[in-house]
Amino acid sequence: MGPEMQLFLLAFIIVEICEIFTVGGFPLDSAVLKGFSAVHVAAITATCWILFLNALVGFQFLDDGTPVSLGLCLASALLFFVGTGYIALDTAFDWTGEFATDASNHYRNIALYVLYQLFPLVLLVAFFVLEAVLVIRVLGEFQPMLYLSAAGLLFAIGQIFNYVISTHLCQASHGKVNGAFFETLFTLLSVVTVWFFWSSITEDDWPMPMAVGSGYN
């Protein structure tokens, strides 16, 4: 497994740790919960960015595992993490008033919505499309598509629990259960499946281009 994918898994671990406190129902102080929520949001954005970069690495725009590749991946991910984290913290603690949400703006935060909801979704779709092209058009294989399709399906199920079924679960259980647990579970299963997918396309027995200076690891 390439270092870039290991970096993605490390970032996902940070997301999971944050979710323990943000959706786990722990009786935390309000300020502490806001802090964990901001880190959680920032980690999601950075993690999706790293996953997208892994798709680009597969096309060998840069040799994977090199200091340049890792440096660009880490630096850009930190940029998204810090930027998104600052906006989330400013929204939560109203440091500057720039990202405040109140009745006058219908409690909307466009910047946070784009960075937390829209941008990661675009990155995830781009990852699946690029990897499908890599597997089918470049490697000429179809078996890894089973893993990729399963990962996409598991992630979609998790989002359905989070955005659709959660309300019904919460009402049926009188607020004791919502879709967050299932969303976390299915997202974890999706990431595990992505790991199997990545392992399947980085095996040594895949067809390798013969041209000097090109190849897929």
Side-chain angles (χ1 to χ4, degrees):
M1 180 186 298
E4 291 84 1
M5 181 54 69
Q6 294 176 9
L7 186 61
F8 162 72
L9 294 178
L10 178 61
F12 180 73
I13 289 174
I14 296 175
V15 172
E16 293 296 279
I17 292 174
C18 290
E19 285 192 348
I20 293 175
F21 299 99
T22 56
V23 302
F26 287 93
L28 299 176
D29 178 77
S30 175
V32 175
L33 183 59
K34 289 178 181 178
F36 270 112
S37 297
V39 175
H40 185 198
V41 169
I44 288 175
T45 302
T47 301
C48 290
W49 173 252
I50 295 173
L51 183 63
F52 168 71
L53 291 183
N54 271 275
L56 295 182
V57 166
F59 287 90
Q60 296 290 286
F61 293 116
L62 287 174
D63 290 335
D64 59 307
T66 62
V68 174
S69 176
L70 284 174
L72 288 175
C73 185
L74 183 59
S76 58
L78 285 175
L79 183 64
F80 279 111
F81 180 84
V82 172
T84 305
Y86 170 76
I87 293 175
L89 287 171
D90 197 351
T91 300
F93 294 101
D94 196 18
W95 291 333
T96 66
E98 184 69 26
F99 303 101
T101 57
D102 50 40
S104 63
N105 59 14
H106 304 286
Y107 300 98
R108 294 175 180 173
N109 187 322
I110 302 301
L112 199 58
Y113 170 77
V114 171
L115 288 171
Y116 173 51
Q117 296 283 341
L118 187 58
F119 184 60
L121 178 61
V122 171
L123 294 176
L124 290 174
V125 172
F127 169 80
F128 282 104
V129 171
L130 288 173
E131 292 297 358
V133 171
L134 176 66
V135 171
I136 297 175
R137 297 290 298 275
V138 178
L139 298 179
E141 297 289 338
F142 291 93
Q143 182 178 355
M145 285 300 300
L146 297 177
Y147 292 116
L148 187 64
S149 300
L153 178 61
L154 288 168
F155 179 79
I157 292 174
Q159 298 309 301
I160 291 173
F161 268 103
N162 192 38
Y163 290 103
V164 179
I165 302 178
S166 182
T167 301
H168 303 288
L169 286 176
C170 192
Q171 293 175 350
S173 63
H174 302 289
K176 296 180 181 179
V177 179
N178 59 27
F181 168 78
F182 296 99
E183 184 271 337
T184 301
L185 174 63
F186 280 103
T187 301
L188 175 61
L189 293 175
S190 177
V191 170
V192 171
T193 310
V194 167
W195 179 82
F196 279 112
F197 162 77
W198 196 260
S199 298
S200 71
I201 66 172
T202 54
E203 293 175 346
D204 294 334
D205 57 350
W206 289 122
M208 302 291 288
M210 300 302 294
V212 176
S214 64
Y216 296 89
N217 296 325

